[in-house]
Amino acid sequence: MTSQITVLGATGSIGQSTLDVVRRHPERYQVFALTAATRADEMAALVREFSPRYAVMADSEAARRLQAQLNCGCETTVLSGTRALVEVAEAEEVDQVMAAIVGAAGLLPTLAAAEAGKRVLLANKESLVMAGPLFMQAVRAGGATLLPIDSEHNAIFQALPHNYGGDFSAHGIRKILLTASGGPFRGCTAAELENVTPAQAVAHPNWSMGQKISVDSATLMNKGLELIEACFLFNCVPDDVQVVVHPQSVIHSMVQYCDGSVIAQLGQPDMRTPIAYGLAWPERIDAGVQSLDLFNIARLDFTPPDEDTFPCLRLAKEAFSAGGTMPAVLNAANEIAVEAFLREQIAFSFIPTLIARVMARHDVQPIQHLADVMAADQWARDCAVAQLDVANGRVNA
């Protein structure tokens, strides 16, 4: 019996890697729905190949462009908007949902998949960063299976005991070692970061990723968001997680035990490995990824992160410690800052400054309902835009 899959964010790097694994195993997987933001040309090609029942675009204009490219014999129904994203995530026919929409836009459909009891392949870390307590509650209440797809969290999941129930002491766990490549500016000084360009920031040395996550990797905010994600996924606090800069990106993360053991998951820097693990778990299937040549690697390096030069990691820890709505504010402010940097409206070094200014102005509220998260998200975006105006001299500071 084939597993029916909805891929949220099908035209992004994670979505494309997911579909590459799917096409290798047509006897196991069938695509129920594909979603994308605005890339109608790319989506049309995927629809022709996979023949999903539904294709969802972000807005009606993108949906119109997609529909125009599909011939009259195509049986795929084209939809648009957030409501449609939720519907294809929670549809009764769906067994698995790859949650790979970047940023806050992925929260609602990912949450819907959890509430509907799906196997949620979580590549949208913002769902946990913004609404961790609500999301984990939805997983439990809906009976969902939550499998982390970020390479680091997938590695931790593999290195933990198979019966891990969220208690470090019960399983003899001392610490999670969360690896980071260090990004393209590893070893740079603050002065050297003043004039970096968007093109330099998105040129990740090891991974092929979208622009936003590549900038997050360059600022170490991606690692900060992953630290928050790890705390919710594995029921721990930042002091239980040590970030380790490992430039080769061969060890994807580790778990340290009280007997002195450290269990690590190694592999190529290729997202098809954790995706295949999530799709087939607890089995393992061919992902199209070559095994490591340890003789070719020759060496593995490890250094602590430089939180003075890259303060986004520290800001993420502070946001988690503040709790409530602060992680959502951190995430929203970062999204505005990264977008402004990519548009060359601010310097790379101003990204953490903008985030810190927004966080300093936020009155933390408890999260009791999704509306609390969405209100904090919108407040932070408005505040960040106002601070951009201040920085650009359009209003008095």
Side-chain angles (χ1 to χ4, degrees), residues 248 293-300:
Q248 289 89 358
D293 183 341
L294 295 176
F295 298 111
N296 186 52
I297 294 168
R299 60 178 288 174
L300 300 173

Side-chain angles (χ1 to χ4, degrees), residues 113-131:
E115 291 172 338
K118 307 303 181 185
R119 173 179 288 201
V120 181
L121 309 181
L122 187 66
N124 171 262
K125 62 179 65 68
E126 290 82 2
S127 295
L128 279 174
V129 172
M130 294 176 66

Side-chain angles (χ1 to χ4, degrees), residues 27 52 59 70 99-100 173 207 286 293 313 345 355 386 391:
E27 76 288 353
D59 55 51
L70 301 177
I173 299 167
W207 296 92
D286 174 37
D293 183 341
L313 181 55
Q345 295 174 334
I355 297 166

